[in-house]
Amino acid sequence: MAYNNELVNRVRERLSIEENIEVEEKKMFSGLSFLVNGKMCINISHNNLMCRYSAELEDEVSEKKGFLPMIMKGKQLKGYCYVEPHGFQKSDDFEYWIKICLDYNPSAKASKKSIEESRFERKVK
């Protein structure tokens, strides 16, 4: 799993200033994911960000510099994208990507696996 450690630290530092969130780091998607409140929020894959945001923003997001659509099984996954480094080098651009991911997180669906894990944890307690 290859990912840019400087970018990881940049995201880690930015998320650390947020209040009332729980952040977990997990290796997934060929990189390092930041789960916020149990849901995948943002990922570092090689030198790119992988962002999860409201699909309603797709038109706006696709116009941003550095945007690359996320393609899975030959189809574009709305609400997910990769962002190349030139799209988040400036602090305002970086903040844009982090913000849309954090804004979407409360309404994002948790993966089936994390739902099952939380049910298991409740049963064990």
Side-chain angles (χ1 to χ4, degrees), residues 39-99:
K39 298 176 268 183
M40 200 293 284
C41 185
I42 196 160
N43 178 281
I44 313 306
S45 181
H46 302 284
N47 292 314
N48 296 336
L49 291 175
M50 185 183 97
C51 298
R52 183 181 189 191
Y53 53 88
S54 171
E56 294 172 6
L57 296 175
E58 198 68 33
D59 290 339
E60 172 188 325
V61 167
S62 67
E63 297 295 318
K64 295 286 185 184
K65 64 183 170 188
F67 170 87
L68 293 172
M70 185 168 178
I71 309 292
M72 292 193 79
K73 298 181 181 178
K75 294 183 182 179
Q76 182 175 347
L77 218 58
K78 303 282 185 190
Y80 292 86
C81 74
Y82 290 102
V83 185
E84 295 176 305
H86 68 275
F88 58 81
Q89 282 179 332
K90 293 181 182 176
S91 60
D92 287 349
D93 295 331
F94 181 75
E95 184 61 27
Y96 170 84
W97 293 109
I98 297 291
K99 184 170 174 6

Side-chain angles (χ1 to χ4, degrees), residues 3-15:
Y3 49 83
N4 180 317
N5 283 313
E6 288 179 32
L7 182 55
V8 165
N9 288 332
R10 190 174 177 195
V11 171
R12 187 181 288 139
E13 184 176 306
R14 172 55 185 83
L15 292 178

